[in-house]
Structures are given as structure tokens and as C-alpha cells.
Amino acid sequence: KVLIDVPRSDLAEELAQSQTKVQVLQDTLQQVLDRREEERQSRQLLELYLEALKNEDSILSKAGESETVPRGEMDVVDTGTSRTGPSAQTALSDQILAALKEKPAPELCLDSQDLELVLKEDTEALASALRWDKQKADALQQACEQELSKRLQQVQALHSLRSTSKGKKTLP
């Protein structure tokens, strides 16, 4: 960092090199620093992601243990029968529905599994449950699909970065 901050002419004089070579040296040093910072941020992001996955798994396992489903609702979900109209059942929890109604960009507030549930939901049933028109519910599902796709791309990029950085560590 110090070598990058030193004026080019002073460094060139001290190293007995041309200013062009010193510029190349400083540019290379800056690139190395930038790459290290990107790797640090990627590792930090991956650690946060893995921690979030652990937290999500523990929350889901606790919720799965304590959640009991009344027999009538289970029949609707298990058999795939659906009712239309204002009383249509959805597989979405009240918490997810509340987030969808209240948040300006709910796709950013939901975890990936909730986004998948919203995508699997019938558009008409979702619109009915939220008391929205079908177009607004469809737009919400599209936004959820884009967010889920973006998250998947980020995870794939992190895995790629991690495998790349592991490969570089083994080199001399």
C-alpha cells in the first residue's frame, strides 16, 4: 500500500527505474490489493451465507417439530385438490402472506425456501389470499423467481471463487 501511495517520480528515482516501469509496478500492486480485497469479501459473504443456511435449517427443524397441521388442511395439500374463490387454501403460512402484503419488495425479505413456496403457489390462489388482482400476484411471482435466480447465481459464483482460491493456495 505504501509503494502505491508514494509519488511515481520519487519511487522511480529511489529504485533507479523509469517512471513507466514504476507505473506498471504500482498498477500491479494495486491489482493484487484489489484481488485480495475481493477474495476477503467473497470469503466473508460465503461465511455469512453458510451461517444463514445453518440458522435457517435450525429454525425450520424447530418449526417442523412444533407445527401441527389440522386434518382438513392436510387433505387439501396431500390430494392436490384446490378450491377457488375467496376461501381458497394456500400452502403459504400467515407469516409469509403478511410479508407479501406489507413489504414494498417482499422477495428481498423472504428466505429462498419461502420464495420457492410462493413460486409453486397457484397464481389465482395467491391473488385471492392476498386480496390482489391476478396481474399483481403474477408480477410478485416473477419478482420472486428473479430473486431466487439471482441468489442461485451468487451461490454458484461463491463456490467458483472458493474453488479457484483453493487452487491458488496449493501453488508455490
Side-chain angles (χ1 to χ4, degrees), residues 64-78:
E65 292 169 2
S66 66
E67 187 176 301
T68 57
V69 179
R71 184 72 190 153
E73 289 182 26
M74 203 158 59
D75 287 343
V76 171
V77 173
D78 289 345

Side-chain angles (χ1 to χ4, degrees), residues 18-154:
S18 69
Q19 285 194 18
T20 308
K21 286 186 179 182
V22 170
Q23 180 180 359
V24 169
L25 173 66
Q26 285 180 325
D27 290 345
T28 303
L29 290 172
Q30 185 62 52
Q31 290 172 355
V32 169
L33 285 176
D34 292 345
R35 189 181 72 239
R36 284 184 182 173
E37 179 61 21
E38 287 174 6
E39 288 172 356
R40 185 193 65 75
Q41 289 176 355
S42 295
R43 275 193 304 275
Q44 188 177 27
L45 185 59
L46 183 59
E47 288 170 5
L48 287 172
Y49 175 74
L50 292 174
E51 185 178 320
L53 278 178
K54 287 178 189 175
N55 290 341
E56 187 176 308
D57 286 344
S58 67
I59 289 170
L60 289 175
S61 65
K62 288 178 186 175
E65 292 169 2
S66 66
E67 187 176 301
T68 57
V69 179
R71 184 72 190 153
E73 289 182 26
M74 203 158 59
D75 287 343
V76 171
V77 173
D78 289 345
T79 61
T81 27
S82 64
R83 292 179 275 161
T84 56
S87 63
Q89 295 274 334
T90 66
L92 303 177
S93 69
D94 291 337
Q95 183 181 2
I96 296 172
L97 290 172
L100 293 174
K101 285 181 194 176
E102 296 169 7
K103 303 290 182 179
E107 68 275 6
L108 300 178
C109 304
L110 298 174
D111 62 32
S112 297
Q113 288 181 331
D114 290 344
L115 288 175
E116 287 177 356
L117 288 175
V118 172
L119 286 175
K120 289 178 184 176
E121 192 62 50
D122 178 59
T123 307
E124 288 182 22
L126 182 62
S128 175
L130 295 171
R131 295 184 182 103
W132 289 355
D133 61 14
K134 189 175 175 183
Q135 289 176 337
K136 190 172 180 180
D138 187 47
L140 171 70
Q141 285 182 312
Q142 288 177 3
C144 290
E145 184 175 21
Q146 289 172 352
E147 178 62 24
L148 196 58
S149 174
K150 185 174 87 173
R151 290 179 188 181
L152 178 62
Q153 288 174 351
Q154 288 174 339

